Amino acid sequence: MLDAWPNLEIVRAPNGLEALRLIDELAPQVIFLDIQMPGLTGIDLAARLCAGGNAPRMVFTTAHEHYAAQAFEHEAFDYLLKPIRQERLARTVERLRAALATPTPALPADALQALLRQLGAGVPAAPAAPAPLQWIRAAAGQETRLIAVEEVIYFQSNDKYTSVFLPDGESLIRTPLRQLKEQLDPQQFWQIHRGVIVAARHVAGTRTDFRGRLHVKLKGRDEQLVVSRNYMDVFRQM
């Protein structure tokens, strides 16, 4: 690989789950995915990245050609069959470098409206945004607790559920974090990691550790929450 792309910085992952963690932390521009990885296949990993939006350019590498259709259904940039020939890899690298050098610009809103008019379609009015979530219900044994959202310090993904951290303890709700995020006020709740959303008014500051990772410090609490690279812009703008 380095013969074809000498200035490439390469990070390897031993399995699919570790790859997902590193992608979330490092936000690479390009990933080379083996189809048959332990823990999480390359196809499964690509599906998760596409579902989350903003997936890096993905090149699949495999000895099996019958996965190609699935790969391109999940936004594959290229599909390399093993053993990978050097000249074939060089063509892929050339295309990747060209794509990275000329990102596709977003279509301006006025251009989009002009295009719709040319097609004879009206420009649909934007739907009114729903009011942010005010209350959440959490199970507590045989009872259901009603929690004001403004009491929440942070939310943390817990498999198919979400842990809710409050001044007086922790509760569990059935709503996945990704679904919950859509209902929260983005001015009041900041996503700092794929699995964590923190209430802005409980943030006391940040700390950078010896590995360069950013941590959020909370008012009156000992735990510190790791900020993944994808979400560091939240604090760079301050």
Side-chain angles (χ1 to χ4, degrees):
M1 174 60 75
L2 288 177
D3 289 340
W5 200 342
N7 59 347
L8 187 68
E9 181 180 353
I10 298 176
V11 176
R12 293 182 174 85
N15 55 59
L17 293 175
E18 179 65 7
L20 187 63
R21 187 191 68 78
L22 288 172
I23 291 167
D24 184 56
E25 179 180 336
L26 303 176
Q29 294 179 294
V30 176
I31 56 175
F32 285 77
L33 281 175
D34 199 332
I35 296 285
Q36 294 180 323
M37 295 187 291
L40 196 67
T41 71
I43 295 293
D44 291 338
L45 176 55
R48 293 196 185 192
L49 294 174
C50 291
N54 198 29
R57 288 174 171 82
M58 297 179 286
V59 177
F60 287 83
T61 61
T62 178
H64 308 284
E65 62 182 14
H66 55 274
Y67 290 109
Q70 286 180 273
F72 284 103
E73 286 176 359
H74 293 94
E75 303 182 13
F77 184 87
D78 207 345
Y79 191 89
L80 300 178
L81 281 175
K82 297 178 181 179
I84 301 172
R85 292 178 291 109
Q86 193 64 27
E87 59 271 25
R88 178 67 177 86
L89 178 61
R91 289 203 301 273
T92 299
V93 168
E94 183 179 0
R95 291 180 55 232
L96 281 168
R97 298 178 76 164
L100 292 173
T102 56
T104 303
L107 191 62
D110 55 350
L112 176 59
Q113 293 183 10
L115 179 59
L116 288 172
R117 282 194 294 271
Q118 289 177 15
L119 295 173
V123 179
L133 188 67
Q134 299 296 319
W135 299 89
I136 51 180
R137 293 191 303 172
Q142 298 299 316
E143 300 180 354
T144 298
R145 180 181 179 184
L146 194 59
I147 301 171
V149 170
E150 62 181 14
E151 295 180 28
V152 177
I153 299 173
Y154 65 95
F155 298 100
Q156 187 168 49
S157 178
N158 190 342
D159 196 8
K160 296 180 181 178
Y161 303 96
T162 297
S163 294
V164 183
F165 289 84
L166 304 160
D168 60 350
E170 176 185 345
S171 293
L172 196 67
I173 60 175
R174 296 179 181 274
T175 308
L177 189 71
R178 184 174 58 185
Q179 182 179 340
L180 184 65
K181 177 189 173 184
E182 298 172 356
Q183 304 174 58
L184 297 173
D185 183 348
Q187 300 299 319
Q188 303 299 322
F189 288 91
W190 301 340
Q191 184 157 22
I192 61 171
H193 191 278
R194 181 189 295 269
V196 178
I197 296 175
V198 65
R201 68 192 187 92
H202 287 283
V203 173
T206 60
R207 177 184 67 84
T208 302
D209 66 16
F210 70 97
R211 294 176 59 188
R213 295 187 305 178
L214 192 66
H215 299 253
V216 167
K217 299 167 65 178
L218 300 169
K219 296 176 182 175
R221 296 178 71 94
D222 294 331
E223 70 262 47
Q224 297 186 6
L225 308 174
V226 175
V227 182
S228 69
R229 292 198 176 195
N230 283 344
Y231 300 100
M232 285 187 175
D233 286 345
V234 172
F235 301 97
R236 289 189 180 126
Q237 296 171 3
M238 296 180 177

